[in-house]
Amino acid sequence: KGTEMGQKFGDELKELMEKMEESETDLVNKRVNQELLKRNQEIVTRLLESEKAMREQGEDDKRKGETANEVTRRPPPAFEQYIREKERQTELLRSIPPTFSPFYKREVDAYFRKYQSEK
């Protein structure tokens, strides 16, 4: 705005606007020639350069993004102990003693099918 670079940028934009008005006048008067085409190409180039300069001006090195580091998470020891205990109980139930009646064998099998489908 009030800086030297801002004034320089404003002057460049005024110059570009004057060239655009010249091009507009040439087009209205149907004076399409090589000079008009060259001027239009220069206008496009300078507009792209000024857009890039404005974008870079807004960037700040302090605000660069970084990829996050991967953090390995471990479950709490109490949860690990719970899982081990549950597996031990499941293994005990799987080894069904032959003394179980057919009714209880079916109940245990149904429990394990339901337990496996929940995983």
Side-chain angles (χ1 to χ4, degrees):
K1 296 177 179 177
T3 65
E4 182 180 324
M5 290 297 287
Q7 291 173 353
K8 181 180 175 185
F9 184 68
D11 293 341
E12 286 181 17
L13 285 179
K14 286 179 185 175
E15 184 181 332
L16 278 175
M17 287 175 46
E18 290 171 4
K19 286 188 178 193
M20 286 179 180
E21 288 175 4
E22 281 181 48
S23 294
E24 183 182 3
T25 304
D26 286 348
L27 285 172
V28 168
N29 294 327
K30 298 183 181 180
R31 289 184 293 206
V32 178
N33 54 24
Q34 192 64 30
E35 183 182 333
L36 173 67
L37 297 175
K38 188 176 178 183
R39 187 180 324 123
N40 281 342
Q41 186 62 39
E42 183 182 341
I43 290 170
V44 169
T45 304
R46 290 183 63 191
L47 283 173
L48 290 172
E49 287 173 354
S50 64
E51 178 186 7
K52 181 181 175 186
M54 285 177 57
R55 197 174 7 173
E56 287 176 353
Q57 184 179 12
E59 292 179 2
D60 190 2
D61 289 340
K62 292 184 266 182
R63 302 220 16 142
K64 294 280 182 179
E66 295 179 5
T67 305
N69 297 330
E70 189 158 335
V71 176
T72 56
R73 295 185 179 205
R74 294 190 44 122
F79 181 72
E80 289 178 0
Q81 182 181 355
Y82 168 76
I83 295 294
R84 283 195 301 269
E85 184 66 29
K86 187 162 179 118
E87 287 175 358
R88 189 179 67 76
Q89 289 175 358
T90 304
E91 194 58 42
L92 280 174
L93 283 175
R94 284 186 193 247
S95 60
I96 301 171
T99 58
F100 271 8
S101 69
F103 171 77
Y104 287 116
K105 285 183 182 181
R106 283 192 303 271
E107 289 296 313
V108 169
D109 287 339
Y111 168 78
F112 281 117
R113 275 189 247 115
K114 183 178 179 184
Y115 177 73
Q116 292 296 334
S117 68
E118 289 178 3
K119 281 188 174 183

